[in-house]
Amino acid sequence: MDKKRTFQQIAKDIKSTWLNVYFGAVPYLEAMLTLDTSDPNAMYFYNTAGDIVRYFLANAQTFRGADAKRLKAELKSML
């Protein structure tokens, strides 16, 4: 069985791949770095992890390329 990666693991990959992170995506990427879970219903202060990921994806249009496509698809599949 394939074990899902955590939001934190994916965020680390994004941070190492996306060198000039769009300022609107920064707070959500930082929040994902603290989410050591793959559960979209986990809470981060007053938001769910799923909400944080959706907000990140909405602000990540400038994150492009093969790695970006793969990482965004992985996040979307977790929602």
Side-chain angles (χ1 to χ4, degrees), residues 14-58:
I14 291 169
K15 194 167 185 167
S16 68
T17 306
W18 193 8
L19 301 179
N20 296 316
V21 179
Y22 175 66
F23 75 94
V26 170
Y28 306 112
L29 182 57
E30 294 297 322
M32 287 192 319
L33 285 167
T34 69
L35 293 169
D36 192 19
T37 181
S38 59
D39 178 12
N41 296 314
M43 295 302 292
Y44 178 81
F45 292 95
Y46 296 108
N47 292 304
T48 65
D51 288 340
I52 297 296
V53 171
R54 284 183 199 89
Y55 299 149
F56 170 78
L57 290 170

